[in-house]
Amino acid sequence: MILSFIRSKHFWLIIGVVAAGLFILIGGIIYIQASNDQISDQISTYNDVAVVPDEPGVKLPVIKLPETKNFRNATMIGLIYYNGKVYTQTDTEIAPERAKDLLGEKLGTAKGNIEGWDTQDENDIEFASTIHKADVYTVNGYDKDFRIMTLAEQNGMVSPAFYERLNDIFVRDGGDFFGRFNIKGNVVGARYQSYSEWNNSMDQYHPIKDMDLINTLVDQLYHANLLSREIVGDALGDFRNDDKYRRLIIQLSDGTEVNLKIIRNGYINYGFAEVYFIIDSEMFWKLWQVMQPI
């Protein structure tokens, strides 16, 4: 009886239905997996502002001291090697008269000897730098694993500079990044420059009086989506011009001034960090309209 049933049309009809169902199920699973694999590469635009799905995070690549004695010919970035990490010059500044308020514990002295570091023993690598010799300090109110500073005095002139470690870290959202800057709740002012004004080092700034707008921006930056520079790729285009680029300076109560690059197609970037921040498109355009060239 069983053999007769196997040979019947009903048996093969059932087998065909089951096989078709399995084919659809497997195909659906493959499609879903492929969609998940590609989601980090999806960028759509709305009114020329980037919109991206939530992402698990971005790993900011490690910066290593190069294995060469001609390092100064390879880069112009100011950096200090401290506690096994590389700290680079930043887009946060402070006026000389406020710098001593943030001066913390002395950590050591930058050596200005980066060219020959690879020929020295491990103990000599600490505080190797591309900058001239200068005392290195912690910064009051900030984690030394994130920010350190130098303070040089000559002929009564004080020259402060911050160095930050924004490499070899994992950031899940804007809060993981901007939370280190102590921006939220400490904004006291904001101003901006066009690309030409910034690029030509012009001492010309335009104040932003709407502090509600700036504080809303800060709130959104703390929850911003992230895109690595590698993913953004050519989407930025040639933005280094007055039509597509602004420099926003957010002034904080401790005297620090955080400089952000605002790019017209919806991206925000800081310093040399290999990551771009995406905020709400409506909020972005409100900010962009305020920062029109004068």
Side-chain angles (χ1 to χ4, degrees), residues 213-230:
L213 178 69
I214 299 302
N215 282 312
T216 301
L217 169 66
V218 171
D219 287 339
Q220 292 210 6
L221 283 174
Y222 272 61
H223 297 91
N225 284 312
L226 310 176
L227 283 177
S228 69
R229 188 184 300 273
E230 181 181 7

Side-chain angles (χ1 to χ4, degrees), residues 20 32-33 44 48 57 86 102 119 128 137 163 181-182 204-205 209 215 230 247 255 284:
I32 292 171
Q33 182 61 47
S44 59
D48 202 29
V86 172
L102 296 186
T119 64
Y137 301 85
Y163 295 83
F181 294 71
N182 299 339
Q204 183 173 331
Y205 300 89
K209 298 180 181 180
N215 282 312
E230 181 181 7
R247 195 82 167 187
F284 181 88

Side-chain angles (χ1 to χ4, degrees), residues 36-293:
N36 288 338
D37 290 342
Q38 295 171 5
I39 194 169
S40 63
D41 295 327
Q42 293 174 351
I43 304 175
S44 59
T45 59
Y46 174 73
N47 287 342
D48 202 29
V49 177
V51 179
V52 298
D54 290 339
E55 293 187 327
V58 172
K59 173 66 181 294
L60 303 188
V62 62
I63 296 177
K64 297 181 179 180
L65 295 179
E67 296 180 0
T68 175
K69 296 181 181 180
N70 297 316
F71 182 73
R72 292 187 189 278
N73 296 327
T75 181
M76 295 297 290
I77 297 175
L79 63 79
I80 299 173
Y81 187 86
Y82 165 65
N83 197 29
K85 304 292 182 180
V86 172
Y87 292 70
T88 61
Q89 65 190 68
T90 80
D91 273 354
T92 292
E93 301 173 338
I94 190 168
E97 61 270 19
R98 297 293 303 272
K100 288 189 176 181
D101 295 338
L102 296 186
L103 199 65
E105 171 192 359
K106 181 178 177 180
L107 298 171
T109 301
K111 298 175 179 177
N113 66 335
I114 201 74
E115 286 181 291
W117 77 270
D118 57 333
T119 64
Q120 303 169 24
D121 63 45
E122 186 175 345
N123 293 329
D124 289 331
I125 298 175
E126 190 77 340
F127 294 108
S129 70
T130 60
I131 65 171
H132 294 299
K133 291 184 178 180
D135 290 335
V136 181
Y137 301 85
T138 60
V139 184
N140 291 333
Y142 296 88
D143 189 340
K144 67 180 180 180
D145 193 45
F146 158 59
R147 177 181 286 171
I148 56 179
M149 70 181 293
T150 60
L151 190 70
E153 294 188 59
Q154 187 174 11
N155 299 325
M157 298 292 293
V158 177
S159 300
F162 294 122
Y163 295 83
E164 295 167 348
R165 186 177 75 85
L166 289 172
N167 67 91
D168 195 24
I169 60 174
F170 185 83
V171 289
R172 293 164 297 180
D173 57 22
D176 279 346
F177 189 93
F178 288 108
R180 305 163 194 263
F181 294 71
N182 299 339
I183 302 178
K184 186 173 288 190
N186 294 307
V187 177
V188 296
R191 52 187 179 166
Y192 70 93
Q193 289 182 298
S194 68
Y195 176 79
S196 294
E197 291 166 340
W198 169 77
N199 191 50
N200 295 315
S201 301
M202 297 172 62
D203 190 19
Q204 183 173 331
Y205 300 89
H206 313 289
I208 297 177
K209 298 180 181 180
D210 189 348
M211 285 298 97
D212 288 338
L213 178 69
I214 299 302
N215 282 312
T216 301
L217 169 66
V218 171
D219 287 339
Q220 292 210 6
L221 283 174
Y222 272 61
H223 297 91
N225 284 312
L226 310 176
L227 283 177
S228 69
R229 188 184 300 273
E230 181 181 7
I231 290 178
V232 171
D234 295 333
L236 290 175
D238 182 11
F239 62 86
R240 293 175 177 84
N241 55 66
D242 287 338
D243 183 52
K244 297 182 179 180
Y245 183 108
R246 302 286 184 273
R247 195 82 167 187
L248 175 64
I249 301 99
I250 300 178
Q251 301 159 289
L252 305 184
S253 57
D254 63 3
T256 56
E257 297 186 342
V258 180
N259 288 249
L260 300 176
K261 303 182 191 75
I262 311 296
I263 303 169
R264 188 173 186 265
N265 51 353
Y267 300 104
I268 298 175
N269 178 253
Y270 172 83
F272 298 105
E274 296 286 320
V275 64
Y276 287 85
F277 303 91
I278 312 298
I279 62 172
D280 176 75
S281 60
E282 182 179 352
M283 171 61 204
F284 181 88
W285 281 112
K286 286 181 180 179
L287 177 67
W288 187 259
Q289 292 303 315
V290 168
M291 296 192 298
Q292 293 304 302

